[in-house]
């Protein structure tokens, strides 16, 4: 009866202390220690099964010779089936040995030990460990000890397995959480029916400016950039079940468009009804921009080559044509001949200008042009250019008007560059003005600047193109493409203006005309 009460007390004690344990280690040490203190044993060792190695490994031990700290130096491993402890694990039954000296299974550990009790810790019909105790007296262990050990083992088994499975879940949760938090792509789950965002990884924030909390619960549709994609993600998935690199444009928190690429699939319920969209999206905005720029630049260069070829061929054809005619026709009247030679001369000049521009653009790209600025009077240079353009204007039926001031102050300039700049602007004014229109050129001093203006009442430049006309190779796409060009004239103008520390302004209205104004600082 006394033993019964005592065992009840021990089991109660153990059950209570188990409730407060949070780790397997704590439980195992509690078993070893409480066995000693409550039951009055000499030692106790708890082994746990390492199922991979098929070994029982010492995990907690307590006894007179053992250290007081909860630590085992060089834990012993026992294969299943070997020794008393190994046999207990193999047979899944307690073993009591009254006299170790006569038990062949005993692996001698300590000469003075005479008897031993070992009890398996069993969970769902599998041994997970063994509790073992040895004693210096022979026949020390009784049924009473076996019962208590078994009760403790069964209580511990449940608690240990609960903790292990909880630890496993926590570990795998931790693993997935860290994956979830570290991926740059945005992971998302969307309700298929409603389009509501159910889950989204925190990487949504650097990407969109919205926090995870702001996005969860919102409808995916509300993020599509208007007017919305031709096919929504749900629509694409409904027809295909799975998408790869599916592109849509979304709006971020700042209202900017972001192109994303989805890899997603549908999750279905038991009735094969789609319930969820699960997938990742990647921000490909920058990649898209680079691709677009690349395409544009390839397109622009190809166009440039074909434009230059065309521009070369036209004057060349007329030079060859007129020169050939003169050569063949020995009786050609002198004034006709003079007219033809004038045309040849003019076309040759056009060719020279073009070649000059092309050469200049490549020098500009290579950065090898050296503009030697010196104190220069511009009136003479500008007047000369105007004179050289008169024939072109007359041919086109455009009136060319000159307002070049007299005795203007000098500026720091490279005469050839100024001349090229004026040619490009004036020839453009003539080229982009229809017959009976006017092109006006003026040069005057205004406060601290010399102001050079080229104004026409021609086609004008659409607002959207104005910022780009100074880009290399850029040409305004017009319906009638009779005015050919190469798109380099204005980029050269801009370069020359910059190198003269001058300012460039342009005003234009489609159908009304265009004004280019250049302000060159007068020498202090
Ligand atoms: P291009 O060789 O094609 O003339 P430019 O660099 O000189 O190349 O000009 C770029 C574009 O700007 C032209 O394609 C043309 O459409 C537009 N442009 C330039 N000057 C004028 C102007 N005076 N009036 C209308 N459009 C102009």
């Amino acid at each position: 009866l006394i033993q019964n009460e005592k065992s009840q007390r021990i089991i109660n004690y153990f059950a209570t202390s188990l409730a407060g344990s949070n780790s397997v280690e704590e439980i195992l040490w509690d078993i070893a220690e409480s066995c000693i203190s409550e039951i009055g044993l000499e030692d106790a060792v708890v082994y746990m099964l390492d199922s991979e190695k098929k070994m029982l490994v010492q995990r907690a031990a307590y006894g007179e010779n053992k250290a007081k700290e909860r630590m085992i130096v060089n834990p012993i491993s026992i294969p299943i089936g070997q020794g008393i402890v190994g046999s207990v694990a193999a047979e899944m039954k307690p073993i009591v040995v009254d006299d170790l000296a006569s038990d062949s299974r005993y692996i001698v550990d300590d000469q003075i030990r005479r008897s031993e009790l070992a009890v398996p810790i069993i969970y769902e019909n599998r041994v997970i460990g063994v509790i073992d105790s040895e004693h210096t007296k022979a026949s020390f262990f009784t049924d009473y000890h076996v019962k208590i050990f078994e009760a403790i083992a069964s209580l511990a088994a449940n608690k240990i397995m609960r903790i292990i499975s909880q630890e496993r879940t926590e570990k795998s949760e931790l693993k997935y959480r860290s994956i979830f938090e570290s991926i740059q792509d945005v992971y998302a789950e969307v309700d298929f029916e409603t389009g509501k965002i159910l889950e989204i990884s925190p990487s949504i924030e650097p990407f969109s400016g919205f926090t995870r909390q702001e996005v969860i619960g919102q409808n995916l549709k509300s993020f599509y950039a208007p007017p919305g994609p031709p096919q929504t993600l749900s629509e694409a998935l409904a027809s295909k079940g799975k998408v790869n690199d599916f592109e849509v444009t979304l709006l971020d928190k700042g209202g900017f468009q972001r192109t994303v690429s989805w890899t997603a699939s549908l999750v279905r319920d038991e009735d094969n009804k789609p319930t969820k969209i699960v997938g990742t999206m990647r921000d490909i905005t920058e990649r898209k921009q680079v691709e677009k720029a690349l395409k544009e630049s390839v397109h622009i260069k190809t166009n440039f080559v074909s434009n230059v070829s065309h521009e070369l061929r036209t004057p060349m054809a007329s030079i060859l044509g007129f020169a050939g005619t003169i050569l063949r026709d020995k009786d050609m009247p002198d004034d006709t001949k003079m007219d033809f030679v004038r045309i040849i001369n003019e076309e040759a000049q056009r060719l020279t200008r073009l070649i000059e521009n092309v050469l200049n653009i490549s020098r500009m790209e290579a950065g090898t042009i050296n503009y030697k600025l010196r104190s220069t009077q511009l009136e003479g240079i500008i007047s000369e250019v105007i004179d050289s353009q008169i024939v072109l204007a007359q041919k086109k039926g455009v009136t060319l008007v000159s307002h070049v001031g007299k005795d203007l102050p000098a500026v720091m300039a490279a005469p050839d560059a100024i001349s090229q700049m004026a040619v490009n602007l004036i020839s453009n004014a003539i080229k982009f003005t229809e017959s009976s229109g006017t092109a006006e050129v003026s040069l005057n001093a205004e406060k601290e600047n010399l102001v050079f203006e080229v104004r026409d009442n021609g086609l004008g430049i659409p607002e959207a193109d104005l910022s780009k006309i100074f880009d290399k190779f850029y040409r305004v796409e017009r319906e009638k493409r009779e005015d050919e060009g190469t798109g380099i004239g204005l980029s050269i103008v801009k370069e020359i203006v910059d190198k003269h520390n001058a300012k460039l302004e342009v005003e234009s209205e489609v159908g009304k005309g265009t004004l280019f104004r250049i302000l060159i600082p007068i020498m202090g």
Side-chain angles (χ1 to χ4, degrees), residues 230 305 354 442:
V305 171
L354 174 69
S442 67

Side-chain angles (χ1 to χ4, degrees), residues 60 72 81 128 149 344 356 437 440 499:
I72 301 179
I128 59 168
F149 267 42
I344 290 172
E356 200 98 312
E440 274 176 79
K499 290 285 152 42

Side-chain angles (χ1 to χ4, degrees), residues 79-304:
I80 293 177
Q82 266 185 36
I84 311 278
V85 168
S87 304
V88 163
E91 290 162 24
M92 298 178 71
K93 278 206 299 270
I95 292 178
V96 179
V97 182
D98 288 334
D99 190 355
L100 289 169
S102 60
D103 196 309
S104 61
R105 293 170 299 186
Y106 184 58
I107 303 165
V108 181
D109 164 33
D110 195 335
Q111 293 288 0
I112 60 162
R113 303 292 184 200
R114 293 295 303 281
S115 56
E116 180 168 359
L117 165 64
V119 172
I121 306 173
I122 296 175
Y123 184 79
E124 285 181 349
N125 263 329
R126 279 187 6 249
V127 173
I128 59 168
V130 173
I131 308 174
D132 176 52
S133 181
E134 292 174 2
H135 207 274
T136 44
K137 268 197 224 144
S139 305
F140 173 79
F141 296 100
T142 62
D143 238 22
Y144 153 73
H145 292 113
V146 176
K147 290 265 144 49
I148 292 187
F149 267 42
E150 282 186 322
I152 290 176
S154 120
L155 283 171
N158 277 303
K159 181 74 181 186
I160 287 170
M161 291 316 283
R162 253 210 314 276
I163 291 182
I164 289 179
S165 81
Q166 196 180 327
E167 275 174 2
R168 270 195 206 130
T169 337
E170 274 169 13
K171 240 194 222 156
S172 73
E173 238 177 44
L174 200 75
K175 188 171 118 201
Y176 287 117
R177 179 145 297 280
S178 68
I179 293 175
F180 184 65
E181 278 168 5
S182 64
I183 48 171
Q184 280 193 349
D185 287 0
V186 179
Y187 169 82
E189 294 180 11
V190 179
D191 187 284
F192 183 75
E193 272 300 310
T194 61
K196 255 200 192 140
I197 298 167
L198 305 171
E199 181 56 279
I200 199 137
S201 54
S203 49
I204 187 66
E205 189 162 355
F207 154 74
S208 70
F210 292 110
T211 64
R212 181 167 167 266
Q213 284 72 23
E214 283 174 314
V215 173
I216 290 178
Q218 299 294 321
N219 198 310
L220 178 60
K221 284 203 183 98
S222 65
F223 294 98
Y224 287 138
Q231 193 184 30
T232 64
L233 182 63
S234 319
E235 286 162 357
L237 282 168
S239 67
K240 292 185 207 129
K242 222 177 183 180
V243 293
N244 236 330
D245 214 3
F246 180 79
E247 282 177 22
V248 284
T249 309
L250 305 178
L251 286 185
D252 68 12
K253 198 168 187 175
F256 293 104
Q257 296 202 348
R258 299 237 135 219
T259 311
V260 302
S261 152
W262 277 96
T263 299
S265 50
L266 280 182
V267 174
R268 297 171 186 276
D269 63 10
E270 308 88 61
D271 306 327
N272 207 29
K273 220 178 86 181
T275 54
K276 263 203 295 193
I277 299 171
V278 171
T280 55
M281 58 176 178
R282 173 170 295 184
D283 183 6
I284 55 164
T285 315
E286 262 137 56
R287 191 184 91 197
K288 279 282 181 206
Q289 280 164 355
V290 171
E291 276 174 11
K292 194 169 156 229
L294 252 168
K295 256 189 217 154
E296 268 172 14
S297 102
V298 168
H299 173 78
I300 282 171
K301 294 232 167 171
T302 319
N303 259 356
F304 171 68

Side-chain angles (χ1 to χ4, degrees), residues 452-470:
F452 173 59
E453 286 185 347
V454 179
R455 183 196 300 271
D456 66 60
N457 57 7
L459 305 181
I461 300 165
E463 171 100 45
D465 292 293
L466 267 184
S467 63
K468 300 187 224 153
I469 51 172
F470 299 102

Side-chain angles (χ1 to χ4, degrees), residues 311 424-425 428-429 431-432 456 459-461 469 471 474-476 478 484-491 508 514 516:
E311 293 282 284
N424 286 354
L425 288 175
N428 271 352
K431 192 158 78 175
F432 297 107
D456 66 60
L459 305 181
I461 300 165
I469 51 172
D471 291 350
Y474 188 83
R475 308 194 59 229
V476 178
R478 299 184 199 273
E484 301 296 342
T486 55
I488 53 179
L490 286 183
S491 64
S508 189
T514 306
F516 286 93

